[in-house]
Amino acid sequence: MKYKPITEWKRVTSMILEASTLYIKSEAVNEFESAFRSAYGIISKMRGYLGHELFKCVEQKDQYILLIRWSAIRDHSIGLRQSSEYTRWNELLQPYYASEPGVLHYIDIRIEGREYERERFNIQAAGEVE
C-alpha cells in the first residue's frame, strides 16, 4: 500500500474544514440541489478551495451538511466572503434557505492509523479491493 510523504501529510492535516448546517425550505429541496450544482462551479474556483461534500439528512429531508475543505481559514472568511463570487453564490442558494446556515470551522486531530483506514476505505469504495 502506498503512503503519502510526510511533507504532503502535514500540508493536508493543516487544512480547515468548514462545516455548515443548511436548513432548506421543505418545498424547495429539489430546486436547492439543482442550484447547488450550479453554485459548485463558483466555489471550486476560489483560492484555497480543496474540495467539498454535501450530505442530505436521512431523518430530516430538508436538512443538509456542507463540508468544504480550505487551505486556510482566511481563504473562506476573507477570500470567499469578501469576493464578488460570494454574492453570486448567495444569489443562487439564499432563496432556498429556511434560515441562515450555521457555519463553524474545524482542524484535523491526528489519530494513529486513521490515514491507513481512510486509504483502505477509498480503495474499497472504488471497488479496487480483491
Side-chain angles (χ1 to χ4, degrees), residues 41 57 73 78 113 115:
C57 183
I73 197 165
I78 297 171
E115 305 316 319

Side-chain angles (χ1 to χ4, degrees), residues 108-122:
D108 191 21
I109 304 300
R110 184 176 179 200
I111 298 172
E112 185 93 17
R114 187 178 65 186
E115 305 316 319
Y116 168 76
E117 290 300 321
R118 280 185 182 168
E119 187 172 321
R120 188 171 149 230
F121 175 75
N122 288 337

Side-chain angles (χ1 to χ4, degrees), residues 37-50:
R37 288 180 185 93
S38 298
Y40 160 73
I42 296 169
I43 201 162
S44 65
K45 296 175 186 163
M46 297 304 300
R47 178 185 172 143
Y49 171 86
L50 298 173

Side-chain angles (χ1 to χ4, degrees), residues 78-114:
I78 297 171
L80 174 66
R81 293 244 171 150
Q82 295 181 7
S83 70
S84 59
E85 289 87 350
Y86 186 65
T87 302
R88 180 68 183 133
W89 169 271
N90 272 336
E91 288 171 353
L92 286 169
L93 301 178
Q94 193 75 34
Y96 305 104
Y97 296 156
S99 62
E100 284 297 311
V103 180
L104 296 171
H105 298 91
Y106 298 86
I107 57 172
D108 191 21
I109 304 300
R110 184 176 179 200
I111 298 172
E112 185 93 17
R114 187 178 65 186

Side-chain angles (χ1 to χ4, degrees), residues 29-86:
V29 294
N30 291 334
E31 293 86 355
F32 164 74
E33 291 176 12
S34 180
F36 187 86
R37 288 180 185 93
S38 298
Y40 160 73
I42 296 169
I43 201 162
S44 65
K45 296 175 186 163
M46 297 304 300
R47 178 185 172 143
Y49 171 86
L50 298 173
H52 80 279
E53 297 171 293
L54 179 66
F55 296 92
K56 185 174 186 174
C57 183
V58 174
E59 292 82 11
Q60 297 180 24
K61 304 293 186 198
D62 56 352
Q63 185 173 322
Y64 294 76
I65 296 287
L66 172 60
L67 303 174
I68 304 176
R69 291 174 298 286
W70 297 99
S71 295
I73 197 165
R74 71 184 173 281
D75 293 327
H76 172 243
S77 60
I78 297 171
L80 174 66
R81 293 244 171 150
Q82 295 181 7
S83 70
S84 59
E85 289 87 350
Y86 186 65

